[in-house]
Amino acid sequence: MSHLLDRVSGILANAPDRPQPPTGISRTVYLDLIERILNVAVAWQDNHGAIIDPVINSEHGQTSCRFVAPGAVLLSAGRGAKLREHVLRGMDWCCRRLASGEGDGPDFWMRELMTAYTHLADADSPRRAQWAEHIRAVDCEKIYKQVSPDGSKLLALGNWTVYAAAGEAMREMAGLGPKDPSVFIWGRRFWEKYMPGQFTHFSEHGMYRDPGDPFTYDFTTRLQIATPIALGFESATVAKLKSMLDLGMFAQLLYVSPEGFSPFGGRSNQLHIQEAILAALCEIAARRYRYSDLLLARVFKRQAHVHTMSMLRWLDMQPMRQIKNGFDPSTTHGCEGYSKYSKYMLFTASCLALAYQFADETIEEGAATPAEIGGYAFELKDAFHKVFASVGRTQIEIDTKADPHYDATGLGRFHRAGIPLELGLSMPLPSHPKFHIPKELLPPHDFAIGPSWCIGGTWTDLAAFNKDVLVQTEIERETAREVVLSVNWTHEPTHAVVHQRYFLTEGRVRIDAEVTSPHPVQAMRFTVPLLQTDGAAETKIEETERSAIVQHASGAKYRVTFAPEYKRSALPPAANRNGVYQPLVLETQTARMSVTLTL
C-alpha cells in the first residue's frame, strides 16, 4: 500500500496555493438525484410491484430491487413520501420473487433488499414479517447462479459471487437466516466459503480483475465488498480485504479524470453507474480515514463530489440518459444488450443511495484531488494495460493493448476540465464492438488517436494491436506544467516498432510518432477522430492548411494542428459510445509524423 499512498501524498504536497473552487455538492444532492430518477421510474411499475423497462416493455434483471433500495433510503431520509406505497409494493414483489427462485440475476438482489429492509424499519409489522420470512427462505446455493456447492469452481467465480456474498454479509448482520441454520449455507458461512477465492482476482494495485479487465467491474465489485465492511461486518477475511480496498482507492484517485469521469476500458463503460459507484466508494473511504488521516479523508470527500457533478449534464436531459451521449434512450446507442435503460438508471440511484448512506458531513471537502492537481503519470501495466497522465486539469489515457470488442490500442482519451468529454475523445472506436452501434456507423477498422503505416503495400494500424505485441513505457518527465512519456509497441510477427512520445501540458498534447521496421516504411498515416454529433447537438468542422478545428455547441473548440505537407483525407463517419466522429486521416511518405491536439 505504501507506494501508492506515497504517490498520492506526493501529489497532494505539490498542490498549488490557490485551491479549486468548491463543488457545492452536499449529501442532500444525492437525495435530489435519487428522487429525480425514482419520480421517473415510478411510472414504470406494474400492479405487482415489478419495474417494467420502458424500452423493452418487460422486467429485466435486478431492475426492480434497484428501485426498492434507493427508494427505501429516500423514505428513511424523510423524502419522497408519494413514493412510499410504490417502494413497499416493490419490496413485496422482490422478496417474494427472490425466495421463489424466479428472480432474474438473483445473485445481485440480496444486497439491494437488505439495504431496503434496513431502511424500511417503520413499515407495518405484518409486512416486515412477511419480508423477513421470504428472505429467510433464500437458499443461496440453490437460488444464486454463480456458486459452487462442491467447492471445485471457487477460484473461477467472479463479480456475481461477490455481489451475493455482500448481500449475505448484510443478511447475517440482520439475523435473517433460516430458523434452522444447518438447513443450508448462508450469511457469514457463505461469505467465508466464497470470498477467499476472490483474492486471486486482485491486481497489485488492489483492483478487481473480472475477465477482460473492464474498469466498471473493478469499481462495482470493490463497492460490494466495501459496503458490508463499512457497516461493521466481521470475518477472518476482512483485514486483508481492507488492505486491498485501500490500495484500490489510492489507484482510483490516480486514474480518474480531473472532472471525475471513469476511465474508458472494457464492457459496461460510459454509463453513469460508474461515477455513482466511484462516489459511493469515495464516501466510504472518507469515513474510513476521518480519524487516521484527515487530509486524505477530505480529498476523498471532494472526489466523491466531483464524481457526482460529472453526471449532472446527462441527468438534466429530457429524458435522462443512462449513458454519456445525447441519443434518445430508445436507440440504445452505445449500450450492451444487458445495459437496459431502467436497470442502469436505477443502479445509478442505488449507488447514490449508498453514497448518501455513508456520507459524513462533518468531513469538509478538500482543496483539490490528485487529478485536479496533476503533474504525474500513472501506469497500469500487466493488468488493465493503461497509461494515464494529468497536467493542469487535463488528462490523457492510452490503451497499450486493447480488448478489441470494446476499445482500440493507442491514445483513446484527451480530456480537459470544462470541455465536453466527447470533444477531444473519451474512448476509442472499435470496429467490432459488443455494444450497439448502427451498422452504417461501424468503423471500417479500429480507430484511436494514432498512426498506421505501409510496408510492402500493406497498411497496419496500431489501433488493432491487441495480441503478439510487446509494450515498453517510460515516464520521462513529471512536473506541474508538463508530463512527457513514451510508449513503444513491438509487433512480434513483423518486428515493426511503433515509437510514440506524448508531451502533455495544460489543454494540449503533442504526439511524435515514428515507425521502424526491418523492411522499408513506404508511408505513414495518423488518424484523429473529429466529433460530428453527440446525439443531441451537431458540431462545426473547419479545415485550414495546417489545422482542423471542431466547434462544439457549448462554445468549446478542439484544434488539431499538423505540418502543411501532410496529405489529408476523410473516411466515412463512425461512432463510439459517445457520439459520431469524422476520422481525419493525415498521410506522409516518411516514417515520422507529429500532431498537436488542443482543447
Side-chain angles (χ1 to χ4, degrees):
M1 178 174 69
S2 61
H3 64 293
L4 284 179
L5 177 56
D6 289 347
R7 194 77 196 282
V8 169
S9 299
I11 295 166
L12 296 176
N14 291 324
D17 294 334
R18 189 173 68 179
Q20 294 293 333
T23 63
I25 299 293
S26 68
R27 191 180 188 219
T28 303
V29 174
Y30 297 135
L31 296 178
D32 295 341
L33 295 177
I34 293 166
E35 192 163 16
R36 186 187 305 180
I37 294 169
L38 296 191
N39 281 340
V40 172
V42 71
W44 308 334
Q45 189 176 49
D46 70 11
N47 292 333
H48 300 290
I51 299 298
I52 306 302
D53 185 272
V55 176
I56 64 171
N57 296 314
S58 63
E59 183 183 22
H60 178 76
Q62 55 274 25
T63 299
S64 297
C65 60
R66 287 176 173 172
F67 173 83
V68 170
V73 171
L74 190 68
L75 292 171
S76 72
R79 300 272 293 266
K82 67 180 183 179
L83 297 169
R84 182 175 179 82
E85 187 51 41
H86 294 278
V87 174
L88 297 177
R89 190 192 317 157
M91 185 68 169
D92 293 340
W93 170 257
C94 290
C95 290
R96 188 166 60 247
R97 291 283 285 182
L98 182 59
S100 68
E102 298 173 307
D104 184 9
D107 309 55
F108 298 93
W109 288 47
M110 186 63 79
R111 204 283 297 160
E112 304 282 0
L113 295 185
M114 292 313 306
T115 295
Y117 185 85
T118 302
H119 286 83
L120 293 174
D122 63 346
D124 62 82
S125 296
R127 203 165 200 166
R128 277 184 65 82
Q130 187 64 67
W131 297 339
E133 183 178 340
H134 287 314
I135 292 170
R136 290 182 186 278
V138 175
D139 184 338
C140 303
E141 293 188 322
K142 287 185 178 179
I143 289 178
Y144 299 151
K145 301 300 183 184
Q146 295 295 314
V147 291
S148 178
D150 67 2
S152 63
K153 298 179 181 178
L154 293 177
L155 297 180
L157 300 175
N159 77 87
W160 283 46
T161 303
V162 177
Y163 270 87
E168 288 304 309
M170 294 173 67
R171 182 183 180 193
E172 175 78 39
M173 292 163 57
L176 291 180
K179 293 180 180 178
D180 179 357
S182 65
V183 173
F184 52 75
I185 187 173
W186 72 283
R188 180 175 284 103
R189 288 172 57 210
F190 184 91
W191 175 284
E192 291 179 346
K193 175 177 178 178
Y194 284 92
M195 285 303 295
Q198 296 299 314
F199 285 116
T200 63
H201 297 318
F202 284 92
S203 76
E204 62 174 328
H205 294 311
M207 297 171 62
Y208 187 86
R209 303 187 67 184
D210 221 47
D213 285 342
F215 271 100
T216 301
Y217 293 86
D218 161 49
F219 314 150
T220 191
T221 310
R222 285 191 289 114
L223 179 58
Q224 306 317 306
I225 297 168
T227 296
I229 292 175
L231 292 171
F233 177 70
E234 292 292 344
S235 166
T237 60
V238 164
K240 186 174 180 181
L241 285 168
K242 283 182 177 178
S243 294
M244 290 290 191
L245 293 172
D246 286 341
L247 273 175
M249 290 308 300
F250 299 143
Q252 182 176 306
L253 287 175
L254 296 172
Y255 59 61
V256 296
S257 85
E259 282 193 306
F261 293 114
S262 154
F264 75 81
R267 67 188 193 277
S268 301
N269 207 268
Q270 304 300 309
L271 296 162
H272 305 314
I273 60 169
Q274 295 176 294
E275 287 72 31
I277 293 165
L278 293 170
L281 281 165
C282 286
E283 291 288 7
I284 291 172
R287 180 180 287 264
R288 173 162 164 72
Y289 283 99
R290 60 186 162 179
Y291 298 122
S292 61
D293 190 330
L294 184 57
L295 173 61
L296 199 54
R298 294 183 62 202
V299 168
F300 278 119
K301 172 63 75 171
R302 179 177 177 85
Q303 188 69 70
H305 293 170
V306 172
H307 288 311
T308 303
M309 290 177 65
S310 75
M311 296 181 276
L312 299 181
R313 171 185 167 193
W314 295 276
L315 296 183
D316 285 341
M317 290 183 177
Q318 296 294 331
M320 291 182 289
R321 302 327 198 244
Q322 90 276 30
I323 189 169
K324 298 176 185 70
N325 67 51
F327 297 97
D328 190 275
S330 63
T331 69
T332 69
H333 185 104
C335 295
E336 284 90 346
Y338 56 80
S339 303
K340 305 305 182 190
Y341 183 66
S342 60
K343 181 167 78 173
Y344 283 131
M345 283 307 313
L346 288 169
F347 193 30
T348 300
S350 177
C351 294
L352 290 172
L354 291 177
Y356 172 82
Q357 182 179 350
F358 291 112
D360 182 344
E361 294 293 78
T362 68
I363 304 170
E364 295 182 0
E365 182 178 289
T369 69
E372 290 176 312
I373 297 167
Y376 67 89
F378 179 56
E379 182 178 12
L380 299 173
K381 188 173 184 180
D382 297 324
F384 296 89
H385 42 78
K386 302 289 190 296
V387 184
F388 303 87
S390 294
V391 173
R393 303 193 76 204
T394 304
Q395 185 199 50
I396 59 173
E397 178 185 352
I398 302 162
D399 197 327
T400 59
K401 193 175 181 180
D403 180 338
H405 301 300
Y406 301 98
D407 302 297
T409 297
L411 179 59
R413 169 168 293 185
F414 178 35
H415 277 187
R416 185 179 188 184
I419 304 294
L421 88 168
E422 67 276 11
L423 182 55
L425 203 63
S426 196
M427 63 166 289
L429 286 74
S431 58
H432 295 88
K434 283 194 172 181
F435 49 85
H436 173 64
I437 294 296
K439 186 176 180 180
E440 66 274 15
L441 292 175
L442 286 172
H445 54 84
D446 296 336
F447 290 128
I449 299 171
S452 308
W453 57 97
C454 182
I455 296 174
T458 299
W459 284 94
T460 303
D461 304 304
L462 173 66
F465 276 19
N466 54 69
K467 60 182 179 179
D468 300 325
V469 59
L470 297 177
V471 182
Q472 291 180 308
T473 300
E474 181 184 355
I475 299 169
E476 300 180 24
R477 183 161 62 250
E478 295 174 297
T479 71
R481 295 190 175 185
E482 184 182 41
V483 171
V484 180
L485 60 92
S486 61
V487 185
N488 294 336
W489 287 268
T490 301
H491 191 223
E492 293 182 291
T494 63
H495 303 291
V497 181
V498 183
H499 313 266
Q500 290 201 95
R501 295 181 78 203
Y502 302 86
F503 300 80
L504 180 66
T505 56
E506 184 171 1
R508 178 175 295 185
V509 58
R510 189 184 92 219
I511 308 157
D512 293 347
E514 180 180 5
V515 178
T516 59
S517 169
H519 306 285
V521 176
Q522 297 166 305
M524 191 170 171
R525 291 173 181 163
F526 199 95
T527 301
V528 183
L530 305 178
L531 181 69
Q532 282 192 336
T533 179
D534 61 6
E538 302 286 328
T539 65
K540 294 181 180 179
I541 301 175
E542 176 187 351
E543 294 193 27
T544 70
E545 184 184 22
R546 298 172 176 267
S547 69
I549 303 166
V550 184
Q551 176 81 47
H552 193 270
S554 66
K557 288 185 179 180
Y558 178 40
R559 183 187 299 269
V560 183
T561 54
F562 43 83
E565 62 267 24
Y566 291 170
K567 178 184 175 182
R568 281 174 283 179
S569 60
L571 294 173
N576 65 11
R577 296 184 194 261
N578 304 113
V580 179
Y581 291 81
Q582 175 67 65
L584 170 68
V585 183
L586 307 171
E587 185 172 336
T588 180
Q589 300 305 303
T590 71
R592 295 182 181 180
M593 299 188 79
S594 183
V595 173
T596 300
L597 315 176
T598 307
L599 285 171

